[in-house]
Structures are given as C-alpha cells and as structure tokens.
Amino acid sequence: MSASRKVFVLTGAGISAESGLGTFRDKGGQGIWARFDPMKLATPEAFARDPESVLAFYDLRRRNLLSARPNVAHFALARLESALAERGGSLTLVTQNIDDLHERAGSASVVHMHGELLKARCGRCEAVRPWLDDLSPSDLCSDCGRAGGLRPHVVWFGEMPLAMDLIDRALRKAELFVAIGTSGAVYPAAGFVAEARAYGLRTCEINLEAADNADLFDEQRLGPASATVPAWVEELVGG
Ligand code: APR
C-alpha cells in the first residue's frame, strides 16, 4: 500500500464517533436511527408534512456539532492530504458526514456527498448559504426573500447524493480505495468499493467492526479510528 500515491478515501459516521457525534446504526442499538425515525425526520416528504419536527431534529444535531472538535483521525487525514501532494500524489476525500470536522482538522478539499449541516438551502431558489443558528419555517431566504423554503443543506433519503460525477472520475484515477468508519449499509456510497475493484484499485476497510460489505475489501484494519487511521497514515507517508 505504501507505494500508492493517488488515494481515494471515503469516510462515514464512525470517524466522528470519538468526537462525540453519534453514528446511525451501531450494533448496540443506540444509533441515531434506533432513537429517531428517519422516515419521519430525514425525507423530503417528512419536511413537507411536518417541517417543525424535521428542523428541530437538525437544530439538535447542529448544536452538537458546534460544540464538537475534530479528533486525531481527522487530523491524520489532513496530514495525508499534504504529504501526498508533496510527493506529486493526491488524496480525494469523500465523506458521507454532514459535519465540518475534516475541514476544521485542516483538510483543504472535502467532497460532502450527503451535504453540509452548517449550510441552509432554499427550496424555492436553491441558494445555499452558511447557517449556524436554529432554523425555523418562518426564516427568510436572504437570496429570494421568501419564507418557508429554508432547509438544512443535507441529502435526505430518496434524494440524489451530490458530486457523483466528480466521485466517479476520481475513483477511475485512483490507485487505492480506503473506506473509514462506514457500515456499508447505504448506497450509492456502499457500492464504491465494487466500482473501485472494477477499476483495478487496491481496497482497504478501516472500521471498528466489519462492515456489511467487508468481503469486498482486499484488506481490513479493525479498531477505533483514533488508533487505526493515524497508524495507517504513518505507514503510508511516515518516515
Ligand atoms: N472508529 C471507527 N469506526 C467506528 C467507530 C470508531 N470509533 N465507531 C463506530 N464505527 C463504525 C461502525 O462499526 C459502523 O460500521 O462506523 C460505522 C458507522 O456506520 P453508520 O452508523 O451506518 O454510518 P454511515 O455508514 O456513515 O451511514 C451512511 O447513512 O444514515 C445515513 O446519511 C446517513 O451518511 C449516513 C449514511
């Protein structure tokens, strides 16, 4: 693996777990979707039916995020990005996470395929703006001036993820595909490893426990991201 210079990393909720942000589906049944119904809180239909409850759910997650801090796994990936660039290589960092902990750890280029919690999007004019406060149906869009359309800039179930063309192009160009802290339960992200194999990439899973699609990976490193990710980065670019 250490010869790889064009690296594609996909991260999931597991990389932010040790920063105090909950995962969605953990074996202990304490995941976010065990406590909250995604069909009532994370679909466009739910937002149309009951915007107050949907917005309150994301207000809670936004406040948690604003008091969270990146952990050593986030910092290790920021280090990997600059170390590969120094060697004429590149890191494509695609995250399913809607938090900004990669950026706060210093990652310069992060592709948020499921959107960003600290931004709001207007359902009327599609404008996207930074938004750090709670969001209510009466808030006005600063672009079109209308109320009732603002929603978190996140991808809900049943909606198309973002930047899929960019992601496919980067997968085709990479040499190594690594999935970190994701259960492999949600498509299209769960399908990236099969695509990577089809394009001839080496594949590695770094996770607390084996993901649903673990058998598709050439290599597996199990343990908390705070231990496994810095060790892997050191192996790849250290010394
Ligand atoms: N270190 C490494 N991995 C961890 C840690 C940790 N400290 N804690 C948990 N994990 C692993 C779990 O073993 C699990 O495989 O992280 C994974 C989290 O899986 P999910 O909760 O399913 O999160 P994710 O795969 O990111 O979910 C994908 O589903 O709900 C939607 O849009 C949401 O982006 C999300 C998508």
Side-chain angles (χ1 to χ4, degrees):
M1 229 187 333
S2 53
S4 308
R5 292 188 313 145
K6 292 204 187 97
V7 180
F8 185 112
V9 169
L10 171 72
T11 63
I15 198 170
S16 296
E18 294 164 85
S19 293
L21 300 182
T23 59
F24 299 95
R25 307 165 187 85
D26 69 22
K27 299 267 178 338
Q30 286 312 302
I32 292 172
W33 297 142
R35 292 176 286 130
F36 298 93
D37 181 348
M39 293 307 115
K40 289 205 177 95
L41 295 168
T43 66
E45 296 77 18
F47 183 61
R49 210 174 36 241
D50 179 7
E52 283 80 9
S53 301
V54 170
L55 295 178
F57 171 65
Y58 285 95
D59 288 346
L60 184 67
R61 295 181 60 193
R62 189 182 299 106
R63 285 188 227 121
N64 286 346
L65 172 54
L66 292 170
S67 62
R69 296 275 170 278
N71 64 60
V72 291
H74 297 105
F75 287 108
L77 291 181
R79 174 188 175 209
L80 177 64
E81 181 184 50
S82 44
L84 286 173
E86 274 159 29
R87 288 168 173 76
S90 65
L91 173 66
T92 300
L93 176 53
V94 174
T95 188
Q96 298 168 88
N97 301 343
I98 59 176
D99 66 53
D100 66 335
L101 298 182
H102 284 303
E103 288 90 342
R104 280 198 260 157
S107 287
S109 163
V110 184
V111 179
H112 285 271
M113 68 179 291
H114 291 165
E116 299 171 72
L117 183 52
L118 300 184
K119 292 181 179 172
R121 182 191 336 148
C122 176
R124 302 189 193 291
C125 73
E126 293 304 317
V128 175
R129 297 262 176 205
W131 194 282
L132 304 185
D133 300 321
D134 289 359
L135 197 44
S136 85
S138 58
D139 284 320
L140 298 179
C141 168
S142 55
D143 291 83
C144 71
R146 289 175 285 179
L150 290 178
R151 51 169 281 180
H153 178 49
V154 299
V155 175
W156 283 325
F157 290 99
E159 295 184 320
M160 268 303 288
L162 309 174
M164 290 305 291
D165 292 345
L166 179 157
I167 290 171
D168 184 59
R169 281 198 302 277
L171 263 177
R172 286 171 189 274
K173 283 198 220 123
E175 296 159 342
L176 173 62
F177 173 83
V178 179
I180 301 174
T182 182
S183 61
V186 175
Y187 285 77
F192 291 170
V193 60
E195 270 182 73
R197 293 176 70 85
Y199 298 146
L201 282 68
R202 272 191 59 71
T203 60
C204 176
E205 178 194 18
I206 301 181
N207 214 2
L208 189 64
E209 59 222 337
D212 298 359
N213 55 0
D215 56 333
L216 291 175
F217 290 88
D218 300 312
E219 188 186 347
Q220 203 174 41
R221 297 176 181 221
L222 298 184
S226 59
T228 51
V229 177
W232 168 64
V233 169
E234 178 60 28
E235 203 182 292
L236 212 63
V237 298

